[in-house]
Amino acid sequence: LKVVALAGGTGSAKLLLGLHRLPIDLTVVANVGDNFWTYGVYVCPDIDITIYTLAGLADRSKGWGIAGDTFEVLSQISRLGAETWFRLGDRDMALCLLRTELMREGDTLTGATERARRALRVDCPVLPVTDDPVETRLVTSRGDTHLQEFWVRDGGRPRVFSIRYKGAKGARLSARVASALADADRIVVCPANPVTSIGPILAIPGLSAILAGSSARVVALSPMQGSAPFSGPARKLMRAMGSRPDSVGVARLYSRFLDGVIISDSDSAMRERIEKLGVHCITTDTRMKGPEDEQRLSKVLLEV
Ligand code: FO1
């Protein structure tokens, strides 16, 4: 079974671990909207957490970076008087340095990612949705900011007036992503922030039409329980986009292409509303507390 998973950060990585343990042919399509230039390097948080998680290196308590990483470079940068609110670890920085170097020499983000995942012995393709730069930007009460500035520097506190995916309109879907989607038997939308993780993927011209026209079933695991996401700023950002911050809102955002969705059993009252959108809805315990949950939910996603 060829499965393509559309993935963002922490929540996605947990589900990917479950999918990765099943006997399927898995390809991960990663968000690039949270990619960020800092300390002279190109950081790709969603790509990197996917690789670190599948390589068994991730710091699973933080949800980003490498377990046991040190912060020597960052301490010295701070000593030199620069801001260090973005806590990029030493080993994590190594991947970012190599990626920056490869891309300066003319390699694509796809090529640099392929090299890293192979070196770290991740046995499934991790594909950035596009090789063109796309940036999730927010107009907030602290000005026009990158997603990382809003979330990490400002702690997600400022008021959010609008959100845009800078560069998305002119970005081209990567050829490898297009071919993985064309060959897929099933497409899984991971439990990720629909605005900052899946939104930038869907904003790449042509992608949502490919999903809508695909003969593969497209299924999602909702990242929401009630109006709270399992992690991150989904509630605030869905509201800012005029969406209901719950599983109905998520299903509505994806309804153009979604065949089925798994939502929390505590939200079973939302089921009827979701089915009215033409989306088959299953309720179960959607919390991922460990490998059993990750695998159980992965299996349900392949059966919906
Ligand atoms: N998130 C934080 O909340 N604080 C950090 O200092 C931080 C550092 C960081 C370094 C590398 C990396 O790849 C991710 C990092 N993240 C950090 C996570 C990241 O900002 C977001 O959670 C994701 O972009 C959301 O998908």
Side-chain angles (χ1 to χ4, degrees):
L1 195 77
K2 291 195 168 108
V3 179
V4 173
L6 310 184
T10 316
S12 301
K14 288 187 185 175
L15 181 71
L16 290 175
L17 270 180
L19 287 168
H20 188 242
R21 282 193 208 101
L22 299 178
I24 56 171
D25 179 349
L26 177 65
T27 299
V28 181
V29 172
N31 172 39
V32 297
D34 57 351
N35 293 0
F36 181 55
W37 280 96
T38 188
Y39 316 122
V41 298
Y42 196 43
V43 188
C44 301
D46 287 357
I47 293 174
D48 295 351
I49 196 59
T50 301
I51 292 179
Y52 295 151
T53 302
L54 296 178
L57 297 172
D59 183 333
R60 297 199 66 190
S61 62
K62 284 209 305 268
W64 46 270
I66 294 179
D69 209 348
T70 50
F71 294 84
E72 294 294 327
V73 175
L74 218 62
S75 308
Q76 190 64 14
I77 290 175
S78 171
R79 219 166 283 146
L80 291 168
E83 283 186 70
T84 51
W85 51 264
F86 195 76
R87 310 285 304 155
L88 186 61
D90 297 327
R91 283 180 234 170
D92 198 0
M93 194 176 283
L95 168 50
C96 300
L97 279 164
L98 181 66
R99 167 192 296 130
T100 306
E101 174 82 356
L102 289 170
M103 290 177 71
R104 264 200 199 122
E105 287 166 357
D107 205 346
T108 57
L109 180 58
T110 301
T113 305
E114 182 68 7
R115 180 156 160 179
R117 74 96 178 160
R118 280 179 189 271
L120 296 176
R121 298 181 204 281
V122 171
D123 61 5
C124 73
V126 177
L127 306 176
V129 63
T130 178
D131 282 319
D132 298 319
V134 174
E135 234 178 64
T136 301
R137 297 200 62 91
L138 298 89
V139 176
T140 74
S141 47
R142 270 199 72 174
D144 186 335
T145 62
H146 187 286
L147 169 67
Q148 301 296 351
E149 293 168 324
F150 164 74
W151 181 240
V152 182
R153 185 193 65 194
D154 304 337
R157 283 179 297 269
R159 283 179 60 201
V160 178
F161 303 114
S162 65
I163 297 148
R164 69 186 193 283
Y165 308 118
K166 189 180 166 196
K169 276 202 190 105
R172 289 150 305 171
L173 185 64
S174 110
R176 285 194 62 190
V177 171
S179 101
L181 288 171
D183 291 346
D185 299 307
R186 191 156 283 246
I187 298 166
V188 172
V189 185
C190 288
N193 187 319
V195 179
T196 57
S197 295
I198 305 300
I201 296 179
L202 301 178
I204 306 303
L207 195 125
S208 75
I210 290 176
L211 298 182
S214 173
S215 56
R217 265 181 94 68
V218 185
V219 294
L221 174 58
S222 173
M224 309 293 285
Q225 189 174 24
S227 65
F230 289 118
S231 67
R235 189 201 322 231
K236 189 169 201 169
L237 299 186
M238 285 179 81
R239 277 218 181 99
M241 281 191 65
S243 271
R244 274 175 66 132
D246 62 18
S247 287
V248 177
V250 173
R252 210 171 267 151
L253 285 171
Y254 301 162
S255 62
R256 177 174 176 209
F257 53 77
L258 200 63
D259 296 305
V261 66
I262 303 178
I263 66 168
S264 167
D265 41 16
S266 59
D267 289 336
S268 54
M270 296 179 192
R271 197 170 152 192
E272 206 175 312
R273 272 218 199 79
I274 292 174
E275 298 237 319
K276 273 201 190 125
L277 299 168
V279 178
H280 179 49
C281 178
I282 286 194
T283 58
T284 185
D285 185 350
T286 52
R287 290 168 300 171
M288 286 186 278
K289 290 166 285 167
E292 295 78 28
D293 291 328
E294 293 155 8
Q295 212 151 331
R296 175 181 57 84
L297 289 163
S298 297
K299 283 188 188 148
V300 179
L301 279 166
L302 301 188
E303 287 158 9
V304 182

